[in-house]
Amino acid sequence: MTPIVIGLIGIVAVMLGVGFYVSRKVKGDSVNYIVAGRGLILPLAAATLMAQSLDSNATLGNTDLVASAGFWAGAALPVGLATCLFLTGLFFAKPMNRMNLVTLPDFYRRKYGRVVEVLSSGVMLLAYAFLLAGNLVAGGYLFQIFLGFDYTIGVVAIAAIIFSYTVAGGLFSVAYTDVIQAGIALVGSLALIVYVATNYGITVPSGMGPTAFGQLTNPAQGAYINWASIIALGLGDIVAIDFMERVFAADDPETAQKACFIGSAGTLIIGIPFSVVALSMPSILSSIGVQSGSEAMLYTLLQTGVPTWLAILVLGGIVAASFSTGDGAILGTSAVLARNVVGIRVDENAPDDEHEAADADDDLVDTDADKLLTTTRIMAVPVTVLGVFFALQVAQTGMLLLLAFDVMLAALLVPFVFGLFKPDFATRQAALASILAGSLTRLVLFALVPTTYAIPNSLLYIQNPWFTPAFDGLPTFIAPALALVTYVGVAAVTEDAEVERTSRARTTAAEPTDD
């Protein structure tokens, strides 16, 4: 029981305690559970958006990428995430908050119907399995390095911890623990860069720093991959179920918008210092005679190159970041499974007594409780198991984050934007064709390209002579472009028929009945 282990146990205990304590606010109500009763005030909404943005991929994965490929390879993660929150606040937060949705696939149901709702839900579930896995990977490495456990045991253990308080308190537990998590991550990030700068100095290897713009202009230096990272997160994360869940939960549209802007700034303030420190890590470890592999280099630095108190703080921030995104992924995907795939509805606009549990103090899974609440909690089990499976198959952090939102960008952004801002041009046929074209194109290219974001594709690669690592990054642009062309083409052909169908449906609904 080293001081680092004791400190981490203390941080985890605090988060568990807070998560279980505020779970009482659920009161057996699925709307409370999934969107915190739509009552998050600005500090809570901003903290939970910032914490959800800054996961272990954007901290630990960030440093690994910078150390191996340059500043922009890792900084692309917080830059992309911050861009997403800024764009969400600018264009989407207010109208989406006003719609009184419970989950993001509810939007696709309202605009395009049940089939599109289920299809979009399937894409989100796949993407969020990757996202959850990336955060479990960081926890697995942490347990392995600092506790001496097997990596597999570490992944399962951190999954079980996140699962426990998420199932208990839903978004209430997530939001209140996110305040702690965001605070720890902020203090840890700033303390780390100050310590490194004052004790070792910031070392920028030639061609690796933030002014080495070849990383953004020269494909040989990773420009395709770096821009793909920024675009996948900056645009693909707009249709993130966990971000939008928090937008829905804000107490009014103005709060939702301001929370996005604050979260965007906080993501940069916390994430960029990790990128800067990573530039110096190889020289720091070399100067103190420590060898490190390319994976989890930050963990090696914290073990050997900084004081114990700082190691506890930074590791606490990474654990907190992993928890904050992991709990949001479990909650969001289990709600989507229960509500949008299984099809259990609770009228979110009904009076509380019409969808509240008969006895809020009953067990967590109670057959007398709100059926959506019960089913959402049950669905958290397969969601968590799937995340653990991917974490054991692909022990990478940053790549899994990027792949998750690469898929979302390819499949879901185009019908989302047209459905929100061009409803007269939004047809079911166009949405279906666009989702299928974008997602299938991205998955086929994933299987054919030997690397994904510079990481060897060990998950699903079909050997072929046509696609080489030089093609890496381009699928991020090709798939959504094809989805856009498909949507516009199909919508142009089906627009008149859709308008006629909608008009006929409205006329039928307005006609008096014999009853």
Side-chain angles (χ1 to χ4, degrees):
M1 294 293 288
T2 66
I4 290 178
V5 173
I6 294 171
L8 290 176
I9 291 175
I11 291 171
V12 171
V14 168
M15 288 189 287
L16 281 172
V18 171
F20 281 110
Y21 179 78
V22 300
S23 67
R24 299 178 303 171
K25 292 178 175 289
V26 173
K27 298 178 180 177
D29 184 348
S30 61
V31 175
N32 284 342
Y33 184 78
I34 299 172
V35 288
R38 306 187 195 284
L40 292 186
I41 59 175
L42 182 58
L44 281 174
T48 193
L49 276 169
M50 179 167 40
Q52 195 66 21
S53 174
L54 273 164
D55 63 355
S56 60
N57 300 287
T59 52
L60 182 65
N62 174 358
T63 57
D64 285 342
L65 289 169
V66 170
S68 62
F71 175 83
W72 288 104
L77 303 184
V79 168
L81 291 163
T83 300
C84 168
L85 285 176
F86 179 79
L87 292 175
T88 300
L90 198 61
F91 298 110
F92 303 102
K94 284 187 174 181
M96 293 301 290
N97 180 270
R98 292 190 187 103
M99 292 182 72
N100 285 331
L101 303 172
V102 175
T103 64
L104 184 56
D106 287 352
F107 172 86
Y108 292 88
R109 182 182 76 251
R110 288 192 189 181
K111 297 295 181 180
Y112 300 109
R114 173 66 174 159
V115 175
V116 176
E117 174 192 18
V118 174
L119 186 59
S120 65
S121 298
V123 173
M124 293 176 192
L125 294 172
L126 175 64
Y128 269 77
F130 290 139
L131 178 64
L132 175 58
N135 286 277
L136 298 180
V137 168
Y141 279 133
L142 187 147
F143 273 62
Q144 183 182 51
I145 293 172
F146 292 95
L147 300 180
F149 290 171
D150 180 75
Y151 170 77
T152 300
I153 295 175
V155 168
V156 173
I158 198 165
I161 293 169
I162 298 171
F163 172 88
S164 63
Y165 74 81
T166 304
V167 167
L171 192 58
F172 274 121
S173 291
V174 169
Y176 280 87
T177 54
D178 278 354
V179 173
I180 301 171
Q181 292 155 359
I184 294 172
L186 176 63
V187 175
S189 172
L190 297 179
L192 179 63
I193 192 171
V194 169
Y195 182 86
V196 168
T198 55
N199 288 272
Y200 297 107
I202 300 297
T203 303
V204 181
S206 177
M208 298 280 282
T211 59
F213 294 114
Q215 299 172 48
L216 297 175
T217 59
N218 185 353
Q221 297 182 40
Y224 289 158
I225 296 172
N226 294 338
W227 275 113
S229 301
I230 294 172
I231 296 301
L233 295 175
L235 298 181
D237 221 350
I238 290 173
V239 284
I241 51 180
D242 51 351
F243 276 4
M244 280 299 169
E245 192 175 57
R246 286 145 178 76
V247 168
F248 304 155
D251 59 5
D252 59 50
E254 288 69 29
T255 296
Q257 182 180 61
K258 291 175 183 177
C260 287
F261 291 148
I262 295 172
S264 175
T267 299
L268 290 176
I269 291 170
I270 296 174
I272 295 301
F274 279 99
S275 303
V276 174
V277 168
L279 291 170
S280 303
M281 284 196 303
S283 64
I284 294 173
L285 295 177
S286 177
S287 69
I288 60 178
V290 175
Q291 298 293 322
S292 174
S294 59
E295 293 301 326
M297 188 177 290
L298 179 60
Y299 282 169
T300 305
L301 175 66
L302 296 175
Q303 271 187 308
T304 58
V306 303
T308 299
W309 65 266
L310 181 56
I312 294 172
L313 197 57
V314 176
L315 287 169
I318 294 172
V319 171
S322 179
F323 277 31
S324 67
T325 300
D327 56 26
I330 291 172
L331 175 62
T333 48
S334 57
V336 166
L337 266 174
R339 181 176 173 86
N340 304 108
V341 177
V342 177
I344 298 174
R345 309 283 184 211
V346 172
D347 182 4
E348 61 269 24
N349 296 311
D352 287 344
D353 58 1
E354 290 186 19
H355 59 79
E356 193 172 77
D359 184 355
D361 293 325
D362 283 345
D363 294 336
L364 291 180
V365 178
D366 188 335
T367 55
D368 294 328
D370 178 338
K371 187 181 292 185
L372 176 59
L373 172 62
T374 300
T375 308
T376 299
R377 281 171 162 157
I378 293 172
M379 289 300 173
V381 176
V383 166
T384 306
V385 170
L386 188 59
V388 169
F389 170 78
F390 281 126
L392 298 180
Q393 293 297 311
V394 185
Q396 302 288 341
T397 50
M399 187 269 274
L400 286 169
L401 169 72
L402 293 167
L403 182 59
F405 294 106
D406 207 335
V407 173
M408 302 276 277
L409 170 62
L412 300 180
L413 183 65
V414 170
F416 175 73
V417 172
F418 275 98
L420 187 61
F421 295 114
K422 292 285 290 182
D424 293 339
F425 199 60
T427 72
R428 291 177 298 169
Q429 298 90 334
L432 282 170
S434 177
I435 292 172
L436 291 172
S439 57
L440 291 177
T441 300
R442 186 63 190 93
L443 291 174
V444 167
L445 290 174
F446 172 71
L448 294 178
V449 179
T451 59
T452 300
Y453 294 99
I455 303 296
N457 181 359
S458 60
L459 188 62
L460 176 64
Y461 173 58
I462 301 173
Q463 191 168 358
N464 65 91
W466 306 290
F467 296 95
T468 68
F471 197 77
D472 194 359
L474 292 177
T476 299
F477 305 97
I478 294 171
L482 182 60
L484 175 60
V485 171
T486 301
Y487 187 99
V488 172
V490 175
V493 174
T494 59
E495 181 180 11
D496 291 341
E498 184 72 7
V499 169
E500 181 180 350
R501 184 196 67 81
T502 304
S503 176
R504 188 164 56 247
R506 288 173 179 171
T507 300
T508 302
E511 290 177 352
T513 64
D514 294 337
D515 296 337

